[in-house]
Amino acid sequence: MITVKSKRIMDAQGRVVLPKPVREELGISPEDRVRVIGKQDEIVMEKYIEEQIEEAQMCYVTGSASPDCQSFSGGIRLSKEAALMILEEWKSKQ
């Protein structure tokens, strides 16, 4: 696996262009889906292959597939871990 370090500027719509060597290494083509996970001070992006992970099991907050992921109002899917994270954040802002 190659390591590519480069600086990119996010545009007004929140888009960032991935370097070509990264797209090639991961086999990412136009219209492919990617999964984006935010963890403290880093962003992890990986190619999303629907056959590997059922979208119905994907938590919107953690980005992880889990059998305990459940649908809530508005169709948002959360794992127990994500619900607890949101609850803690909610309490800290009170």
Side-chain angles (χ1 to χ4, degrees), residues 70-82:
Q70 296 188 22
S71 244
F72 291 88
S73 52
I76 189 168
R77 291 182 297 275
L78 297 175
S79 64
K80 183 177 180 179
E81 174 191 6

Side-chain angles (χ1 to χ4, degrees), residues 5-88:
K5 292 185 179 183
S6 65
K7 294 181 182 178
R8 296 290 191 238
I9 297 174
M10 183 179 301
D11 70 13
Q13 288 79 33
R15 296 176 295 207
V16 176
V17 176
L18 297 176
K20 186 175 181 179
V22 172
R23 295 190 317 263
E24 289 174 345
E25 178 75 18
L26 296 176
I28 297 173
S29 302
E31 304 301 319
D32 281 350
R33 291 181 176 207
V34 295
R35 181 167 66 162
V36 179
I37 304 166
K39 294 182 178 181
Q40 293 180 341
D41 63 345
E42 70 179 5
I43 299 169
V44 177
M45 182 183 299
E46 58 192 21
K47 187 170 181 177
Y48 174 84
I49 301 172
E50 290 185 54
E51 293 81 34
Q52 290 179 345
I53 301 170
E54 289 187 34
E55 196 165 326
Q57 294 178 323
M58 185 71 66
C59 175
Y60 280 14
V61 174
T62 65
S64 299
S66 167
D68 75 338
C69 191
Q70 296 188 22
S71 244
F72 291 88
S73 52
I76 189 168
R77 291 182 297 275
L78 297 175
S79 64
K80 183 177 180 179
E81 174 191 6
L84 293 172
M85 287 170 44
I86 291 169
L87 181 60
E88 286 303 311

